[in-house]
Amino acid sequence: MSDSFRGAVDASDSQLSAESAAFRRALDVVRAVEPRVADAIGAELADQRESLKLIASENYASPAVLLAMGNWFSDKYAEGTVGRRFYAGCRNVDTVESVAAEHARELFGAAHAYVQPHSGIDANLVAFWAVLADRVEGPTLRRLSARHVNDLTEADWAVLRRELGDQRMLGMSLDAGGHLTHGFRPNISGKMFDQRSYGTDPATGLLDYAAVREAAREFRPLILVAGYSAYPRLVNFRIMREIADEVGATFLVDMAHFAGLVAGKVLTGDFDPVPHAHIVTTTTHKSLRGPRGGMVLCQPELAEQVDRGCPMVLGGPLPHVMAAKAVALAEARRPEFGDYARRVVDNAVALADGLLRRGATLVTGGTDNHLVLLDVAGYGLTGRQAESALLDAGIVTNRNAVPRDPNGAWYTSGIRVGTPALTTRGLGVAEMDEVAELMHTVLSQTTAGVGPDGSASKARYVLEEKVADEVSRRASELLSGHPLYPSVDLG
Ligand code: DSN
């Protein structure tokens, strides 16, 4: 495993064997009850070891993070917050929640951290409700802010819906790389808010701050959202905050994708959202390399409302996951994590360069962060065809819309790739050229297929088995130099 990962878990030889023993025995216990589950867990490790994981939102958590989740905290209810629970017996939950929040505050330089959200969507919902409660005037909202949500009657809810009215949210458009939870219809945020989006410059693919300012002046949103899941460049949060201030908006940044780059101090100054935003949301499992989950950081004036996240919009906290968040955040405070974050970006730039040299088209022409967005139309493919062909060759990616995508959000014209996982595994800049070569080989040798009636298909494709097999062999060879979880031998 990579030096950075060794550093992150500080693994000595004796710990390595301890990890093998821990996972083996845990699986034996599971196997005694339901062997199919134990087998699937083992098979998942084997699959992850064998595939070239380029999904930009995935990573590999350390054994310490994984082990922190499998314990008795899973049995505990702990609605409420530290020291103010709706259940008795939460003293140990209070400990892990406090430790996780302390690490989060220190790591990100945040005034307040709320570590209960179960996912990024949940973190955003907590943040949206906190802003609504803080900003929207109305007697029912005020009562809601002051009391337990269960105290509201049906009549209260009817009044509340009227009070909320059509609050406005301005966020990045989905096809420019924004996220569903930033006010789009398939998500509840699209029903809670009257949403408008800002896109990117058609010529450069870059965020156009003048256009954002113009949209904000015209639309006057309650919340201005920045953050993305498929934009390969940096966002200047200082400028975005200036725009928010000019129109009286609360500035919210969803840093789910790049939290690890903020934690590792690769994104600083204007590019660090924490000093500029009123409220920041994130997941903990992407570039931050923690357990699956979410988190909210905010300025002091929003802290009380944010802490009402459970039970306002969240189910009972997951104390076992908060324990794992605490471990991951402690790991991210180590100097090695800064090296890791820098190498994530170096690798993404090297991968982009390798693809460009082979003639690929990249949205914005490259990357400044952890992800690269390929427009695969140049290969004569849809994103769906490219994703499937790459998977046949052991390369795991996901299809993604590109700006103004003619194939829509289902078939798409793009493939999004990211380097957080391969960097954890220890691959470096030199190996990114081979990854680019493997991807290009598959994409250039795949052709679009036809449907049963002979018409062009957006899903079917043709890739010779021998090409897929050869790429798969080369990918395995590349990965064999960087074994995944070498400290874990399931036997
Ligand atoms: N599903 C995540 C991603 O892949 O980017 C975002 O929620």
Side-chain angles (χ1 to χ4, degrees):
M1 189 163 284
S2 75
D3 290 345
S4 69
F5 204 100
R6 278 185 201 288
V9 299
D10 194 20
S12 68
D13 283 352
S14 62
Q15 282 172 311
L16 300 188
S17 56
E19 287 159 2
S20 288
F23 283 107
R24 275 190 201 199
R25 286 175 192 158
L27 284 181
D28 286 346
V29 174
V30 175
R31 187 170 290 105
V33 179
E34 178 44 284
R36 290 174 297 180
V37 170
D39 290 347
I41 293 171
E44 180 60 24
L45 175 59
D47 283 358
Q48 295 212 20
R49 280 180 164 157
E50 284 157 21
S51 57
L52 201 64
K53 186 178 353 190
L54 282 165
I55 292 184
S57 50
E58 292 188 7
N59 211 327
Y60 305 107
S62 74
V65 168
L66 298 178
L67 288 166
M69 273 184 283
N71 57 66
W72 305 268
F73 274 130
S74 172
D75 300 331
K76 193 74 196 92
Y77 251 119
E79 281 194 19
T81 47
V82 175
R84 202 167 169 275
R85 305 282 184 187
F86 291 90
Y87 293 83
C90 292
R91 105 188 137 94
N92 301 310
V93 178
D94 282 358
T95 300
V96 292
E97 182 166 352
S98 302
V99 172
E102 176 194 304
H103 281 311
R105 286 192 306 271
E106 293 293 325
L107 178 63
F108 293 107
H112 184 72
Y114 181 66
V115 298
Q116 290 188 15
H118 311 150
S119 69
I121 286 186
D122 289 1
N124 281 343
L125 269 180
V126 169
F128 297 157
W129 270 107
V131 176
L132 287 170
D134 184 56
R135 298 279 313 275
V136 178
E137 284 299 316
T140 307
L141 252 181
R142 271 201 298 278
R143 275 178 57 209
L144 186 60
S145 310
R147 292 166 64 183
H148 192 287
V149 65
N150 294 346
D151 293 343
L152 289 192
T153 63
E154 274 308 309
D156 288 331
W157 281 107
V159 176
L160 178 65
R161 277 191 286 274
R162 280 201 298 279
E163 280 175 12
L164 285 174
D166 288 330
Q167 298 302 333
R168 294 175 175 180
M169 173 179 286
L170 179 64
M172 192 176 208
S173 70
L174 266 185
D175 73 350
H179 193 255
L180 274 182
T181 57
H182 300 171
F184 294 94
R185 286 181 62 82
N187 179 255
I188 186 72
S189 58
K191 314 210 183 297
M192 287 165 68
F193 292 94
D194 177 9
Q195 199 268 8
R196 202 176 283 181
S197 40
Y198 55 84
T200 46
D201 184 316
T204 61
L206 299 175
L207 198 50
D208 177 348
Y209 296 97
V212 178
R213 192 181 298 273
E214 199 180 308
R217 280 179 180 163
E218 194 191 316
F219 190 52
R220 304 200 78 80
L222 179 80
I223 304 178
L224 175 65
V225 182
Y228 52 79
S229 57
Y231 180 67
R233 297 292 179 177
L234 305 185
V235 176
N236 187 315
F237 299 112
R238 181 186 51 76
I239 297 177
M240 294 295 282
R241 171 63 187 261
E242 281 168 15
I243 295 170
D245 284 348
E246 190 185 320
V247 300
T250 297
F251 182 38
L252 184 155
V253 177
D254 179 345
M255 66 170 182
H257 259 263
F258 51 91
L261 306 186
V262 179
K265 312 290 179 246
V266 172
L267 300 182
T268 57
D270 292 354
F271 307 106
D272 175 354
V274 180
H276 301 292
H278 297 100
I279 189 160
V280 176
T281 60
T282 186
T283 53
T284 46
H285 50 271
K286 297 187 175 89
S287 53
L288 193 52
R289 210 163 64 180
R292 302 199 73 76
M295 193 163 71
V296 180
L297 308 173
C298 66
Q299 296 189 346
E301 59 274 18
L302 285 168
E304 197 183 326
Q305 295 301 345
V306 164
D307 281 350
R308 293 179 192 276
C310 171
M312 174 57 82
V313 295
L314 299 178
L318 307 176
H320 56 308
V321 181
M322 291 196 288
K325 286 173 185 171
V327 173
L329 290 163
E331 289 176 351
R333 290 184 66 189
R334 295 179 174 179
E336 305 88 276
F337 195 85
D339 299 339
Y340 163 72
R342 263 184 299 283
R343 284 187 295 108
V344 166
V345 177
D346 290 348
N347 279 347
V349 170
L351 181 57
D353 288 349
L355 289 164
L356 286 170
R357 271 202 310 281
R358 290 169 175 85
T361 304
L362 304 185
V363 172
T364 78
T367 183
D368 296 322
N369 57 24
H370 64 296
L371 71 87
V372 177
L373 188 57
L374 279 92
D375 185 336
V376 292
Y379 290 106
L381 301 171
T382 64
R384 171 128 183 226
Q385 291 161 332
E387 176 193 88
S388 302
L390 288 165
L391 186 63
D392 287 350
I395 303 174
V396 187
T397 64
N398 69 280
R399 63 188 187 278
N400 206 103
V402 298
R404 294 160 284 280
D405 199 314
N407 287 320
W410 180 248
Y411 292 107
T412 82
S413 304
I415 285 288
R416 184 188 70 165
V417 291
T419 52
L422 289 186
T423 306
T424 293
R425 207 168 163 152
L427 278 80
V429 163
E431 283 126 330
M432 289 302 124
D433 198 56
E434 173 71 352
V435 174
E437 171 63 18
L438 297 180
M439 289 184 67
H440 176 71
T441 301
V442 172
L443 296 174
S444 59
Q445 300 204 36
T446 301
T447 52
V450 290
D453 61 355
S455 63
S457 168
K458 290 186 176 187
R460 295 176 182 227
Y461 62 98
V462 181
L463 171 65
E464 279 188 50
E465 204 174 317
K466 69 171 192 232
V467 176
D469 288 350
E470 172 58 11
V471 171
S472 198
R473 187 194 62 71
R474 284 169 64 184
S476 296
E477 201 174 286
L478 187 63
L479 293 176
S480 66
H482 302 281
L484 180 63
Y485 299 113
S487 62
V488 179
D489 174 8
L490 294 185

